[in-house]
């Protein structure tokens, strides 16, 4: 995770465009200023960042399904449940699945675990639009490369 | 068996917390019921699921923006119900062709 840049996903472990599922990993940093305030003596990942991590996981899945032709933007968060504390240094494994592909929007479900323990889950709705700026597309390509997005999967 | 309009009206009532009695076939989803674009996403999701279709919202929006259609054609609920019936019929016809 590079929290300063809001980059929460470290690597894509599995992308299945047939089943419309993705599994990613996100390494929570051992130290960060966020943990100094949240909370002193009891550092835990804020729920909003866990929700964002589930959203970014879903976003990569949607990018793959849409072959990087459109960019998803988070529009709605439902049933966000923080089921357990996530501490500095823990490795999150996040799974997301597309529940519905609408016209200009998509709905996903996502779950994050530490080991086998379910830590949070949510249902997320995204609007998607053609890339609004070429710079964003270049940036997403670079990020895809960085986190090991299997570009061959969308070439099929 | 409930009508398409009844199903849509029930979805709107539940999604947007609008009294069911206030939702009539002549209600305009935006002008009369005040449904915003985000709530309409929720409604579209529920309608797509309920009828097993994919409402072409982007195409409809484009047609309105281009002046080729009015919002009434898509967002007055009796007209929306007609559009849904057309989509369901097209889906069933295509399923019949495929089998």
């Amino acid at each position: 995770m590079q929290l300063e840049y809001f980059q929460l996903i470290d690597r894509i472990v599995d992308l299945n465009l047939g089943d419309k599922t993705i599994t990613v990993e996100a390494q929570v940093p051992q130290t960060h200023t966020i943990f100094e305030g949240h909370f002193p003596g009891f550092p835990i990942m804020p729920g909003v960042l866990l929700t964002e991590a589930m959203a970014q996981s879903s976003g990569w899945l949607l990018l793959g399904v849409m072959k990087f032709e459109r960019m998803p933007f988070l529009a709605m968060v439902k049933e966000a449940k923080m089921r357990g504390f996530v501490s500095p240094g823990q490795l999150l494994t996040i799974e997301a699945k597309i529940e519905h592909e609408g016209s200009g929007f998509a709905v996903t479900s996502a779950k994050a675990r530490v080991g086998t323990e379910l830590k949070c889950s949510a249902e997320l709705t995204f609007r998607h639009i053609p890339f609004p700026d070429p710079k964003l597309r270049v940036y997403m390509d670079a990020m895809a490369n960085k986190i090991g997005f299997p570009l061959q999967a969308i070439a099929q | 068996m409930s009508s398409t309009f009844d199903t849509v009206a029930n979805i709107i009532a539940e999604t947007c917390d609008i009294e069911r009695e206030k939702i009539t076939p002549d209600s305009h989803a935006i002008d009369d019921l005040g449904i915003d674009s985000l709530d309409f996403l929720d409604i579209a999701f529920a309608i797509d699921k309920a009828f097993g279709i994919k409402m072409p919202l982007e195409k409809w929006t484009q047609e309105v923006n281009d002046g080729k259609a009015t919002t009434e054609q898509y967002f007055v609920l009796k007209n929306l119900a007609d559009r849904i019936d057309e989509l369901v019929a097209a889906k069933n016809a295509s399923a019949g062709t495929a089998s």
Side-chain angles (χ1 to χ4, degrees):
Chain A
M1 285 184 187
Q2 283 194 284
L3 293 174
E4 296 83 356
Y5 293 93
F6 236 57
Q7 294 168 2
L8 294 166
I9 305 308
D10 290 309
R11 67 194 72 84
I12 293 176
V13 177
D14 183 62
L15 175 68
N16 188 325
L17 295 182
D19 292 343
K20 295 175 182 174
T21 59
I22 194 170
T23 303
V24 311
E25 286 182 342
Q27 179 68 53
V28 180
Q30 191 66 52
T31 58
H32 196 277
T33 51
I34 284 173
F35 298 130
E36 293 173 19
H38 195 278
F39 295 100
F42 189 65
I44 53 171
M45 272 289 277
V48 289
L49 290 178
L50 294 173
T51 303
E52 176 66 18
M54 292 188 284
Q56 290 189 12
S57 307
S58 299
W60 285 112
L61 171 59
L62 289 168
L63 278 163
V65 168
M66 298 186 291
K67 298 183 182 295
F68 282 71
E69 289 169 358
R70 297 168 70 93
M71 178 72 186
F73 294 92
L74 181 62
M76 214 179 313
V77 177
K78 283 186 180 175
E79 299 287 329
K81 295 178 180 173
M82 304 305 127
R83 298 166 185 272
F85 298 128
V86 176
S87 305
Q90 289 190 315
L91 178 67
L92 285 168
T93 302
I94 305 167
E95 296 170 341
K97 179 179 187 209
I98 295 178
E99 298 291 345
H100 181 69
E101 289 177 89
S103 170
F105 74 99
V107 181
T108 71
S109 59
K111 293 177 179 175
R113 292 183 172 83
V114 172
T116 57
E117 194 176 346
L118 184 62
K119 294 294 188 180
C120 57
S121 58
E123 180 186 291
L124 307 163
T125 302
F126 297 79
R127 293 181 207 271
H128 53 73
I129 58 173
F131 274 85
D133 191 298
K135 281 183 193 166
L136 178 56
R137 174 62 202 265
V138 169
Y139 174 79
M140 295 308 291
D141 282 345
M143 282 303 300
N145 190 46
K146 183 178 175 186
I147 64 173
F149 189 97
L151 288 166
Q152 72 279 6
I154 61 171
Q156 293 166 2
Chain B
M1 189 176 141
S2 67
S3 70
T4 300
F5 165 75
D6 284 325
T7 303
V8 170
N10 290 340
I11 286 171
I12 290 173
E14 190 173 326
T15 305
C16 301
D17 202 17
I18 296 172
E19 285 176 46
R20 175 62 183 81
E21 294 70 31
K22 291 185 177 172
I23 304 170
T24 72
D26 289 317
S27 299
H28 189 297
I30 302 163
D31 297 344
D32 297 328
L33 301 178
I35 296 169
D36 66 19
S37 63
L38 193 59
D39 279 337
F40 204 80
L41 273 192
D42 242 358
I43 292 165
F45 177 34
I47 289 175
D48 282 0
K49 272 203 306 186
F51 293 95
I53 57 172
K54 179 174 173 176
M55 280 198 299
L57 295 179
E58 287 190 301
K59 177 171 167 273
W60 291 353
T61 305
Q62 193 62 50
E63 286 176 7
V64 169
N65 290 342
D66 292 345
K68 294 176 182 166
T70 63
T71 60
E72 285 75 13
Q73 285 174 253
Y74 297 124
F75 296 108
V76 168
L77 297 189
K78 63 184 177 190
N79 298 337
L80 178 61
D82 286 344
R83 301 290 85 74
I84 292 168
D85 286 340
E86 290 166 4
L87 290 164
V88 171
K91 180 190 152 207
N92 290 342
S94 126
T97 306
S99 61

